[in-house]
């Protein structure tokens, strides 16, 4: 009986909104594929992004930018990138003369995001930039201005926005499946083993777990509630005698205050593996765990007085979240539409993170600048 | 391999401390049973406490105090309480003349706790009082003073301290099974259906979910970390158009700042059923769900890089948490020892709750008075 009611709830909600209202549908493809240059052949660019082009309908790999010529040549051979598509950081600006390159995807340590986004825009290319967008809001604003001046699009690599469980969770929440939203809770963390990675150097990363993994909780708090926080309160705890945490924070617990009265409560950490969120409404709740991992997402929907039921989302239009991200940007460029997660979205997170850090430092509630 | 390691961890921890160090063992019983008077025949006193005397070794039911003589007579008959053990609120003070009564257990709405605790002490009886201890710290102080003046013991009904999963979780945490403690998280809530219960009248309850169910999260944050919070930050969200929440709060998210740097992050609510906590250390975590329910507790212990394993606690010395609470108090009286959860413990929670409410009102970090 309860199960039927719950299924009824979910199905009824399914009828209210078309999926496209949340993750916009697009006009039929032109069949054309836009060319991407991947900047940075680190673990993410090389291990996660480059292998996905074979699954894309609108994106292809045409160039590589690396400080290691031998590595670049090897990757180029493996993925069929022509010799003319191999660049170093010193001759990066020559991408201007390569008509194969439509979009430059910045997969560099955070402190290099602004410089290479701006140089890419000045070279007449559209830009996809990994999150966190940059070290601070001022850099984000410069990146947005540079792309605007060049008449080029800028998108931030928030892959979860293209992951089917997250897309379906947003749809259910907006459709009223759990009533009025009251409370969002998320824990995000992973264990950093290497004290010498750029992530642990404040000048290169901009900060610790909050910039790197806490940002997933923050993003999810915003896309799940559909609201912008007006104020934050945060408390940090870091074992400074741990060699990993000489410069950046380990754990930070932050509370978000939304205009409707809904509360966001999040924990970010570099010392434990956690990846989940719960959105609670006055009629039920939606849980994801893992929520924003590379794979394995699971989702449950429940009413507050009863158990929860696992819900499988409908398959999305893309093979996976990375393909969604790459093809969405390519479609935006081809159809001259604004990306779902433009530079302004990345700036918004960095502004809130700045307020989180300030709250933790000053130990008071900080109003977020809008 | 991981499982063995994990078991090793738990077993190694088990060797460090005898269980008695956390839940003190007692000298052999005298075989004598002390007599309890139950004040208030509501759902908790009648439904939860009274049926447990048959399982006790040191406690017996000898008196009832009720405003409903017919109900009192019926309960007295059912549980073998003699006619001379039946009292109304107007002749309550006559308990002084009943030598069968050693301990008075106050199971009344919160606003009556102080008055009946003080009257019981003045009648020469030891007192067990339900939690939350009273409406405000001043009342708690008066209760403590009255019992001290009368030379009588005062214990607060924190049943979870006698529940085997909680006792074992405390033992593991103190034994270092999960390393240095970093973070405690708890959600506690239940759905209040009746807008007209005394719980929803601020003058009778002292507050909303925080006083009633959030206090379990707060207590657990303190007994699991073994630390006292030095400051709090809290944010409330209540739908004031809901007839249940005209006077008291629904949801309140509160953060506790511990001297070691550990963080407590808790959510209390009257609009959803939640009952869990997680204690995270730098070597692993302990989870309970449900954590403080009447029954059904489950516990998991895990290292942060691996899965978690369900751990069954050793059976405690008592049949269940209520029996533990009743017999512990009886043993304290017989052996002239201080209860594990004396009045000062109840006062401590009420002082912190006062700081939580003030933080939510003033929207700033509030230092807890020590």
């Amino acid at each position: 009986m309860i199960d039927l009611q719950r299924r009824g709830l979910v199905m009824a909600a399914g009828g209210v909104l078309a999926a496209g209202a949340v993750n916009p549908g697009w006009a039929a493809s032109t069949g054309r594929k836009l060319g991407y240059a991947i900047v940075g052949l680190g673990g993410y660019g090389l291990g996660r992004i480059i292998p996905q082009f074979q699954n894309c309908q609108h994106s292809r790999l045409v160039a590589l930018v690396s400080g290691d010529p031998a590595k670049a040549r090897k990757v180029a051979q493996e993925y069929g990138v022509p010799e003319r598509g191999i660049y170093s950081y010193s001759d990066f600006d020559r991408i201007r003369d390569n008509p194969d390159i439509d979009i430059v995807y910045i997969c560099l340590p955070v402190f290099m995001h602004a410089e290479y986004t701006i140089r890419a825009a000045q070279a007449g290319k559209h830009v996809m930039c990994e999150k966190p967008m940059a070290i601070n809001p001022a850099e984000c604003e410069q990146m947005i201005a540079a792309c605007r001046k060049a008449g080029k699009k800028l998108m931030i690599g928030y892959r979860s926005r293209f992951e089917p469980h997250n897309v379906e969770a947003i749809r259910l929440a907006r459709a009223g499946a759990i009533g009025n939203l009251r409370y969002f809770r998320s824990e995000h963390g992973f264990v950093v083993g290497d004290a010498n990675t750029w992530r642990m150097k404040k000048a290169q990363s901009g900060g610790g777990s909050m910039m790197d993994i806490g940002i997933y909780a923050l993003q999810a708090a915003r896309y799940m509630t559909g609201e912008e926080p007006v104020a934050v309160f945060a408390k940090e705890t870091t074992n400074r005698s741990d060699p990993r945490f000489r410069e950046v924070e380990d754990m930070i617990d932050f509370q978000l205050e939304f205009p409707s009265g809904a509360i966001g409560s999040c924990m970010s950490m570099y010392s434990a593996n956690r990846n989940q969120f719960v959105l609670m409404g006055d009629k039920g709740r939606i849980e994801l765990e893992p929520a924003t991992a590379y794979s394995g997402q699971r989702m449950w929907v429940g009413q507050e007085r009863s158990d929860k039921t696992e819900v499988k989302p409908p398959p999305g239009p893309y093979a996976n979240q990375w393909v969604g991200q790459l093809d969405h940007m390519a479609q935006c460029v081809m159809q001259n539409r604004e990306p779902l997660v433009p530079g302004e979205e990345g700036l918004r997170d960095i502004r809130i993170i700045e307020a989180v850090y300030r709250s933790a430092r000053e130990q008071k509630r900080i109003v977020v600048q809008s």
Side-chain angles (χ1 to χ4, degrees), chain A:
Chain A
M1 189 64 180
I2 287 165
D3 269 18
L4 283 173
Q5 280 181 338
R6 233 180 291 122
R7 272 182 215 127
L9 174 101
V10 173
M11 286 190 295
V16 175
L17 276 184
V22 171
N23 196 19
W26 300 98
S29 145
T30 61
R32 191 177 144 223
K33 286 188 175 186
L34 295 194
Y36 271 86
I38 299 296
V39 187
L41 299 182
Y44 196 74
L46 185 54
R48 298 287 160 186
I49 301 299
I50 289 177
Q52 292 302 335
F53 285 101
Q54 64 180 338
N55 302 315
C56 288
Q57 291 187 46
H58 307 293
S59 313
R60 63 189 182 117
L61 178 64
V62 297
L64 302 171
V65 183
S66 171
D68 181 340
K71 186 180 193 179
R73 266 193 302 274
K74 187 168 166 290
V75 175
Q77 276 190 331
E78 186 177 350
Y79 289 96
V81 173
E83 182 71 25
R84 68 175 182 279
I86 300 179
Y87 298 87
S88 69
Y89 293 110
S90 56
D91 66 3
F92 173 80
D93 302 303
R94 286 200 303 105
I95 61 170
R96 175 193 313 269
D97 305 320
N98 186 339
D100 293 347
I101 302 173
D102 299 292
I103 302 163
V104 172
Y105 191 159
I106 314 292
C107 298
L108 295 167
V110 183
F111 75 106
M112 299 170 83
H113 286 184
E115 179 187 344
Y116 283 86
T117 292
I118 292 167
R119 284 168 68 180
Q122 287 171 347
K125 306 301 181 186
H126 301 281
V127 184
M128 172 97 82
C129 179
E130 251 319 296
K131 44 116 299 264
M133 184 172 173
I135 296 285
N136 57 44
E139 283 192 350
C140 297
E141 284 162 1
Q142 289 159 20
M143 294 158 76
I144 292 168
C147 291
R148 189 176 295 139
K149 188 177 171 195
K152 297 297 161 184
K153 300 205 181 296
L154 172 58
M155 173 169 155
I156 310 303
Y158 288 113
R159 58 182 166 73
S160 295
R161 298 297 297 270
F162 302 93
E163 191 287 315
H165 295 75
N166 283 266
V167 170
E168 177 68 0
I170 296 169
R171 191 190 66 76
L172 287 170
R174 295 292 183 287
I178 58 169
N180 293 313
L181 306 183
R182 302 293 306 284
Y183 175 48
F184 174 85
R185 168 72 189 170
S186 179
E187 294 181 9
H188 269 77
F190 67 91
V191 179
V192 169
D194 182 1
N196 297 312
T197 164
W198 63 264
R199 294 172 195 277
M200 310 319 261
K201 315 287 182 200
K202 193 170 181 185
Q204 295 181 32
S205 59
S209 76
M210 184 68 222
M211 287 288 278
D212 192 20
I213 182 76
I215 196 173
Y216 287 92
L218 171 58
Q219 253 284 308
R222 294 173 54 231
Y223 63 68
M224 289 306 301
T225 61
E227 292 192 69
E228 293 299 333
V230 291
V232 302
F233 184 84
K235 175 84 191 152
E236 183 204 322
T237 180
T238 302
N239 176 6
R240 293 289 174 188
S241 69
D242 184 323
R244 295 173 300 171
F245 302 118
R246 267 184 232 117
E247 298 187 15
V248 301
E249 84 280 0
D250 174 9
M251 304 176 80
I252 194 158
D253 190 76
F254 59 102
Q255 194 195 64
L256 305 165
E257 194 179 317
F258 292 108
S260 69
I263 293 171
S265 168
C266 303
M267 177 50 118
S268 167
M269 56 203 137
Y270 260 159
S271 54
N273 296 321
R274 302 285 276 187
N275 191 304
Q276 58 81 235
F277 66 65
V278 178
L279 180 70
M280 199 174 284
D282 60 5
K283 295 201 166 48
R285 63 182 186 273
I286 300 170
E287 298 183 34
L288 265 75
E289 184 170 12
T292 65
Y294 288 164
S295 63
Q297 268 77 351
R298 294 180 71 186
M299 173 164 58
W300 295 264
V301 179
Q303 290 174 299
E304 281 313 331
R305 285 170 186 267
S306 65
D307 285 340
K308 55 196 183 184
T309 301
E310 185 164 3
V311 172
K312 305 271 185 200
Y318 308 112
N320 60 47
Q321 54 189 326
W322 292 285
V323 170
Q325 188 188 318
L326 293 166
D327 274 355
H328 171 75
M329 178 62 165
Q331 290 173 291
C332 285
V333 169
M334 287 191 278
Q335 299 168 13
N336 193 26
R337 298 203 188 200
E338 187 67 355
L340 187 63
V341 276
E344 288 76 6
E345 183 72 8
L347 166 60
R348 189 84 200 144
D349 275 351
I350 299 298
R351 277 204 182 121
I352 299 166
I353 290 174
E354 192 178 53
V356 164
Y357 282 145
R358 196 176 141 209
S359 174
R361 247 183 354 255
E362 300 182 6
Q363 279 302 282
K364 63 182 190 192
R365 172 178 176 269
I366 299 292
V367 172
V368 179
Q369 287 201 313
S370 57

